């Protein structure tokens, strides 16, 4: 019988896209998600400290 | 009491920023326990708890806290806070596979951002919407076995919407001069074009992604771009170019000391050299993949390596090695309960047996059970769906029709 390799090679040659006979990579590498962020200091600074962002502790120390 | 809640929350913020989300979560939860009458502070704590759980992949918890945040933001009439909570809720719902609700949430993020004339928020909402439609399209597509470009209409529609949102996002972030955001949009736009079968457009987008990754010295993003470029060139039939990009992926994976990614790059290279009919090199890379799969105790990866090695040795006419790996593939497929892998291995073995004529006898129990296994498939074609292993690759089937055509 004809060698198996001959058949497989013919199959591979016959297509531009990967042959169904091989495992092809379908592993897309996606970019990360972006999450929206909030901070307790955002509100804290607006409420108590004007435009400067201080931590709670530094505010207390400065008092 | 008030200061104590704030202090705990600030420590939670500090820990999360330092990358220790687990510890951050305990401080935020302690802050919630102490409580505060300042609803904006509470909203910020809920939001950060939601994000911390998101990064820890505890999505049910993330959903719970982002939902609390949304309710609170609406209660206090904080429109910007509502937009942010909606966006985060949308991203979480997307990961959980609830695409329709995710779209509603991300659309709300977009609407509010436009209402507030918040360009940054608008761009981010567009990116999130693109991601939801991309995931939706991919999710429907993975229910069947399709090559990129060969898609049902609903999948195509979702992916086209994703591409449109990424394009819209790109317009704004380009105006804003936000290169990092451009990099992200190009990467995902490239992958959307890839799935749509627009491989040239995919290449163009990933080339832009690569350029920006280099600008930032972001080697992980650079590695992602190389890998995605390799994938696109495979489908353009330019295997030499693909192999060059996969080699760069491999180089960076080694530098970044990421063994799973290294294995994946070896696997892609093995497949690429198979397409180039350079079976010696294919075997070399598949063996490298096999070693890492074994090291990481990734049985599915090991099974695939064996299958690929069996095919490559068959192509070289080395039937002894081919049978060795086909048997190993059968063994592993059984071990992991991969029915279609098992059938494929059986077909390979019976095929090899035919090639070798009587020189290979069914000297073990694997082949003798052949008919039992095949009957259990009841004449249905084996279909191999997406499987989760370190390389997350799709097993393309060896169809019974093709096996028949071989002889």
């Amino acid at each position: 019988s004809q060698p198996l390799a001959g058949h497989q090679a013919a199959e591979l040659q016959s297509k531009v896209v990967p042959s169904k006979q091989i495992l092809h990579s379908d592993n897309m590498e996606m970019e990360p998600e972006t999450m929206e962020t909030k901070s307790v200091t955002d509100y804290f600074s607006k409420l108590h400290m004007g435009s400067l962002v201080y931590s709670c502790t530094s505010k207390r120390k400065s008092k | 009491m008030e200061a104590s809640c704030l202090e705990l929350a600030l420590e939670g913020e500090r820990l999360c920023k330092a990358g220790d989300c687990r510890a951050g979560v305990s401080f935020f939860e302690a802050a919630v326990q102490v409580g505060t009458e300042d609803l904006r502070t509470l909203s910020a704590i809920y939001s950060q708890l939601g994000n911390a759980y998101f990064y820890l992949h505890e999505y049910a918890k993330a959903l719970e806290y982002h939902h609390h945040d949304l309710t609170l933001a609406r209660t206090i009439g904080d429109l910007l806070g509502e937009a942010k909570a909606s966006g985060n809720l949308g991203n979480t719902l997307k990961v959980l596979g609830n695409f329709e609700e995710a779209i509603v949430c991300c659309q709300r993020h977009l609407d509010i951002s436009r209402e507030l004339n918040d360009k940054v928020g608008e761009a981010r909402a567009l990116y999130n919407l693109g991601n939801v439609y991309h995931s939706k399209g991919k999710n429907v597509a993975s229910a069947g076995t399709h090559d990129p470009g060969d898609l049902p209409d609903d999948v195509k529609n979702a992916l086209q919407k994703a591409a449109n949102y990424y394009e819209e996002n790109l317009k704004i972030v380009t105006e804003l001069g936000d290169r990092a955001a451009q990099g992200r949009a190009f990467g995902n736009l490239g992958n959307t074009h890839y799935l749509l079968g627009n491989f040239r457009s995919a290449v163009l987008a990933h080339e832009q992604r690569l350029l920006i990754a280099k600008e930032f010295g972001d080697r992980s993003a650079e590695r992602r771009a190389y890998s995605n470029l390799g994938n696109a060139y495979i489908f353009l039939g330019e295997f030499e170019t693909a192999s060059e990009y996969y080699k760069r992926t491999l180089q960076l994976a080694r530098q970044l000391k990421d063994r799973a990614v290294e294995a994946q790059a070896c696997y892609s290279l093995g497949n690429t050299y198979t397409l180039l009919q350079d079976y010696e090199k294919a075997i070399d890379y598949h063996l490298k993949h096999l070693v890492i799969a074994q090291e990481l105790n990734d049985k599915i990866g090991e099974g695939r390596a064996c299958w690929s090695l069996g095919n490559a040795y068959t192509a070289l006419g080395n039937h002894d090695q081919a049978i060795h790996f086909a048997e190993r593939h059968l063994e592993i497929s059984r071990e992991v309960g991969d029915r279609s892998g098992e059938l494929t291995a059986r077909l390979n073995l019976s095929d090899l047996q035919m090639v070798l004529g009587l020189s290979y006898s069914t000297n073990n129990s694997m082949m003798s059970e052949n008919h039992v296994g095949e009957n259990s498939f009841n004449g249905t074609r084996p279909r191999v769906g997406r499987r989760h292993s370190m390389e997350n690759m799709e097993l393309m089937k060896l169809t019974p029709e093709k096996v028949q055509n071989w002889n």
Side-chain angles (χ1 to χ4, degrees):
Chain A
S1 67
Q2 204 181 340
L4 191 60
H7 288 285
Q8 196 176 44
E11 174 72 25
L12 286 167
Q13 271 174 335
S14 70
K15 288 184 177 182
V16 174
V17 294
S19 164
K20 295 282 185 190
Q21 289 177 37
I22 75 153
L23 296 160
H24 85 83
S25 161
D26 190 27
N27 184 67
M28 280 181 304
E29 301 261 11
M30 294 300 285
E31 299 293 328
E33 276 111 353
T34 51
M35 301 301 281
E36 302 304 311
T37 54
K38 295 181 182 180
S39 162
V40 290
T41 54
D42 290 347
Y43 300 116
F44 192 76
S45 60
K46 275 179 204 158
L47 288 171
H48 306 290
M49 300 295 292
S51 62
L52 290 172
V53 178
Y54 284 114
S55 74
C56 171
T57 43
S58 69
K59 180 200 167 248
R60 289 196 305 162
K61 276 174 197 161
S62 70
K63 268 188 176 175
Chain B
M1 205 64 175
E2 187 74 3
S4 177
C5 172
L6 263 172
E7 274 174 344
L8 288 165
L10 285 166
E11 183 59 10
E13 280 188 24
R14 193 191 64 77
L15 286 162
C16 285
K17 274 183 194 152
D20 190 351
C21 285
R22 182 59 65 195
V25 159
S26 7
F27 276 90
F28 282 128
E29 283 187 336
V32 172
Q33 282 298 310
V34 171
T36 173
E37 283 177 14
D38 182 349
L39 297 183
R40 284 173 182 266
T41 296
L42 192 58
S43 157
I45 293 170
Y46 283 151
S47 177
Q48 290 180 90
L49 260 172
N51 284 349
Y53 276 122
F54 187 91
Y55 293 126
L56 291 168
H57 303 282
E58 290 181 38
Y59 301 113
K61 281 270 189 188
L63 193 75
E64 188 187 324
Y65 282 110
H66 285 310
H67 202 266
H68 284 327
D69 181 28
L70 180 64
T71 310
L72 210 53
R74 280 184 180 156
T75 307
I76 58 180
D78 173 10
L79 209 52
L80 178 63
E82 184 185 340
K84 287 183 173 188
S86 300
N88 290 338
L89 200 54
N91 282 346
T92 311
L93 286 161
K94 177 202 72 178
V95 177
L96 288 166
N98 190 343
F99 302 116
E100 298 317 311
E101 276 189 60
I103 289 166
V104 172
C105 289
C106 291
Q107 185 65 48
R108 181 75 185 135
H109 184 197
L110 181 63
D111 292 343
I112 298 174
S113 301
R114 283 178 174 160
E115 198 179 317
L116 298 174
N117 201 25
D118 169 10
K119 281 284 171 195
V120 174
E122 184 182 351
R124 291 166 73 96
L126 288 166
Y127 175 74
N128 291 345
L129 271 166
N131 286 345
V132 177
Y133 277 105
H134 179 102
S135 292
K136 186 186 169 190
K138 203 155 56 179
N139 190 265
V140 180
S142 69
T145 49
H146 310 278
D147 279 342
D150 169 28
L151 304 165
D153 281 346
D154 52 343
V155 175
K156 220 180 278 183
N157 290 341
L159 293 171
Q160 193 52 57
K161 273 190 181 165
N164 295 345
Y165 281 118
Y166 291 135
E167 296 276 10
E168 266 194 86
N169 163 278
L170 268 169
K171 262 187 224 160
I172 299 175
V173 294
T174 305
E175 276 168 26
L176 295 171
D178 184 346
R179 290 291 278 167
Q182 283 176 58
R184 285 192 294 270
F186 275 125
N188 287 353
L189 177 64
N191 284 336
T192 308
H193 279 311
Y194 172 84
L195 286 178
L196 282 165
N198 308 329
F199 302 114
R200 288 274 166 222
S201 306
V203 165
L204 288 175
H206 288 307
E207 279 173 350
Q208 288 302 309
R209 207 294 157 250
L210 179 60
L211 205 72
I212 297 169
K214 284 180 175 170
E215 266 174 41
F216 280 84
D218 181 346
R219 289 197 298 170
S220 294
E222 191 182 339
R223 191 197 54 69
R224 286 201 295 272
Y226 288 140
S227 171
N228 289 330
L229 279 164
N231 293 344
Y233 275 110
I234 286 285
F235 277 89
L236 286 167
E238 297 178 35
F239 306 136
E240 288 283 3
T241 313
S243 75
E244 289 310 311
Y245 281 119
Y246 285 140
K247 276 180 203 165
R248 294 203 183 180
T249 311
L250 179 59
Q251 210 177 6
L252 275 173
R254 284 177 176 159
Q255 279 176 23
L256 296 166
K257 300 200 189 311
D258 188 333
R259 290 292 269 172
V261 173
E262 186 182 339
Q264 186 188 297
C266 289
Y267 185 71
S268 299
L269 276 164
N271 291 336
T272 309
Y273 279 112
T274 301
L275 291 164
L276 284 164
Q277 296 175 44
D278 186 341
Y279 300 109
E280 276 92 359
K281 276 191 187 155
I283 287 168
D284 187 36
Y285 282 113
H286 281 309
L287 282 172
K288 286 187 170 92
H289 170 227
L290 178 63
V291 168
I292 305 175
Q294 285 168 339
E295 179 190 308
L296 300 177
N297 201 22
D298 172 13
K299 280 282 166 197
I300 291 171
E302 194 182 338
R304 282 175 197 185
C306 291
W307 190 69
S308 307
L309 283 162
N311 287 345
Y313 278 118
T314 300
L316 282 177
N318 186 342
H319 297 116
D320 287 344
Q321 284 291 348
I323 284 172
H324 166 75
F325 283 109
E327 283 179 344
R328 186 77 192 112
H329 179 214
L330 180 59
E331 225 172 274
I332 294 169
S333 299
R334 279 179 172 169
E335 219 177 303
V336 300
D338 173 7
R339 302 292 300 276
S340 48
E342 202 178 323
L343 179 60
T344 303
R346 282 212 175 96
L347 290 168
N348 278 349
L349 278 168
S350 69
D351 210 63
L352 282 161
Q353 194 190 18
M354 268 189 269
V355 171
L356 293 182
L358 295 174
S359 66
Y360 178 71
S361 62
T362 54
N363 60 352
N364 56 41
S365 61
M366 290 174 185
M367 296 300 292
S368 58
E369 284 176 27
N370 211 353
H371 60 284
V372 179
E374 279 179 335
N375 283 347
S376 70
F377 279 94
N378 211 15
T380 53
R381 283 168 54 161
R383 213 192 67 191
V384 182
R386 184 179 302 279
R387 296 186 300 183
H388 299 286
S389 76
M390 65 176 181
E391 74 283 293
N392 191 22
M393 302 246 172
E394 185 114 33
L395 176 59
M396 300 310 288
K397 61 186 175 283
L398 177 65
T399 62
E401 299 96 279
K402 275 189 182 137
V403 173
Q404 279 155 19
N405 290 340
W406 282 5
N407 289 283

